[in-house]
Amino acid sequence: SLDSSLYRAAPAAIGLGGTVTYTLSLINDGNGPAGGASATLKVPAGMALVANSGQASSGSLVVNTALTQLSWAAGAPLPVGAVVRVSFRARLVTLQPNPRYISSANMQASGLLPYAATAFSLYSAQAPSKLEMYLPVIRN
């Protein structure tokens, strides 16, 4: 079973240009090894994936920038009690009508029903923003 898995976003509030870390803790809390375990994590709308920020504590991770998602596969059965962490960072680049920047994680393993979890960070005008300004250099 993977339904004890946790998906979290930190920090809870961000400003424009701020960065959020989304972390999935994939847990095999079943009574046998989980074969064919995999997960797909989506980058929220309005956010840009931070280059080279995708990480997995085991297995393989494929980043698809065109689909704005990350796909993880265990490669071998996950033993009972195993915990795998998959994470990525995303930067808030465009404000959306809904102030929640929600990422979904879809998990599955052989013989188990697929399981989905979500994590979000909330836009706040009071949260620190990381806006960059570029000024031209004029030389005489």
Side-chain angles (χ1 to χ4, degrees):
S1 169
L2 301 174
D3 55 4
S4 291
S5 298
L6 305 171
Y7 198 29
R8 301 282 184 251
I14 56 165
L16 190 60
T19 301
V20 177
T21 300
Y22 292 91
T23 304
L24 173 65
S25 296
L26 193 69
I27 304 166
N28 179 5
D29 63 347
N31 52 14
S38 64
T40 302
L41 291 67
K42 288 287 289 176
V43 177
M47 300 192 86
L49 180 66
V50 173
N52 303 313
S53 68
Q55 297 183 349
S57 60
S58 69
S60 62
L61 186 65
V62 175
V63 177
N64 186 324
T65 53
L67 295 177
T68 60
Q69 70 182 25
L70 296 88
S71 299
W72 171 84
L78 289 179
V80 173
V83 179
V84 176
R85 286 188 175 71
V86 181
S87 66
F88 68 92
R89 292 191 330 269
R91 181 171 289 110
L92 178 56
V93 293
T94 306
L95 295 180
Q96 301 292 304
N98 182 342
R100 291 181 183 200
Y101 291 83
I102 302 170
S103 174
S104 62
N106 295 300
M107 301 157 271
Q108 61 185 28
S110 301
L112 299 175
L113 292 174
Y115 178 72
T118 59
F120 71 89
S121 192
L122 187 64
Y123 168 74
S124 170
Q126 285 77 41
S129 294
K130 292 184 179 158
L131 298 177
E132 296 176 5
M133 180 181 291
Y134 297 94
L135 300 173
V137 175
I138 302 171
R139 295 184 182 186
N140 290 339

